[in-house]
Amino acid sequence: MIEFQADSQTTQGYLAVPARGSGPGVLVLHAWWGLNAFFKQLCDRLAAEGFVAFAPDLYNGKTAATIDEAKQLLKVRDLAQMEAKALAAVEVLRRRPAVTGAGLGAIGFSMGAAWAGQLSSLRPDDFAAVVLFYGIAEADFAAARAAYLGHFAEHDEWEPLEGVRQLEADLHAAGRDVTFHLYPEAGHWFFEDDRPDAYDAGAARLAWERTLTFLRERLGQ
């Protein structure tokens, strides 16, 4: 964990650097569970693949283990403060000497996917690749310059297919490079192996392979 400043407040995030010492930067934006062990481990996995991964803590150290707990965290979230942290995290990653390449990547999960999409619009010069896991975003994608990869469950009570298709259409209309994948047997949170009720090993493995290929192509690893 490292500390950084966001709107004059000290906050934290989890940083993972490849053994070789440098690589393309990837911002990891957690789901409504908060910055728990899974998302820290994901940063470590990305570092093992040669990326410098940074996950800001958007919830000030709070985490949820159950859906009910996550709903409570969502109710009391401070959107302005979260945006400030997310934007500051972009600067943290940009300024790390270990980060190589012209553009950053972002991977967002559910709630974090919305932040990933927004950041790509707010900071178009910074992001070259955005990966969305079972979460959609509302943003001015015409202002963005990133390419987008999406992983969605075909039958998802939390993120209906209608919204996914609309986002895909919006991205195409904005002239963005976009590829969305549907996972027929999976559900929401299928990538997160700490959610035994939702984790789908086969879908998670395929989504991971596709994500690594996409990030390497777009970030020039």
Side-chain angles (χ1 to χ4, degrees):
M1 297 293 291
I2 65 169
E3 292 186 342
F4 64 101
Q5 296 295 309
D7 274 0
S8 301
Q9 294 186 353
T10 300
T11 187
Q12 291 188 322
Y14 187 82
L15 178 70
V17 179
R20 68 187 183 197
S22 64
V26 178
L27 193 68
V28 175
L29 296 151
H30 61 72
W32 68 348
W33 315 113
L35 184 56
N36 60 20
F38 171 81
F39 296 106
K40 294 175 183 178
Q41 290 166 4
L42 178 64
C43 289
D44 292 336
R45 290 176 68 187
L46 286 164
E49 296 291 341
F51 299 95
V52 178
F54 183 55
D57 181 355
L58 302 179
Y59 274 173
N60 295 321
K62 297 177 182 178
T63 59
T66 67
I67 290 175
D68 286 341
E69 290 175 357
K71 287 180 177 178
Q72 290 303 311
L73 287 179
L74 206 64
K75 287 180 180 179
V76 299
R77 64 180 172 173
D78 184 327
L79 289 174
Q81 187 181 79
M82 291 173 74
E83 181 175 313
K85 289 180 181 180
L87 288 169
V90 178
E91 287 300 319
V92 170
L93 197 53
R94 264 296 192 198
R95 294 173 182 175
R96 299 298 298 188
V99 173
T100 61
L104 301 175
I107 305 178
F109 294 82
S110 198
M111 179 192 77
W115 285 111
Q118 289 181 38
L119 288 173
S120 70
S121 174
L122 293 172
R123 299 293 295 269
D125 292 337
D126 289 314
F127 289 97
V130 174
V131 184
L132 309 174
F133 274 88
Y134 34 81
I136 62 175
E138 295 182 4
D140 178 9
F141 294 110
R145 298 180 184 177
Y148 296 81
L149 175 68
H151 303 295
F152 298 93
E154 188 170 9
H155 305 288
D156 188 339
E157 63 177 310
W158 297 91
E159 200 62 79
L161 188 56
E162 180 181 1
V164 174
R165 289 307 190 198
Q166 184 59 58
L167 173 59
E168 186 177 30
D170 291 344
L171 287 165
H172 280 301
R176 305 277 64 83
D177 186 315
V178 53
T179 302
F180 279 7
H181 296 288
L182 292 179
Y183 299 81
E185 303 302 322
H188 207 73
W189 306 304
F190 71 82
F191 189 77
E192 299 167 43
D193 58 13
D194 62 339
R195 309 301 306 174
D197 55 329
Y199 179 62
D200 184 313
R205 181 170 55 253
L206 180 56
W208 179 242
E209 292 170 356
R210 287 168 166 167
T211 295
L212 291 177
T213 298
F214 173 75
L215 291 176
R216 286 170 176 152
E217 289 176 350
R218 298 295 175 175
L219 303 183
Q221 187 185 51

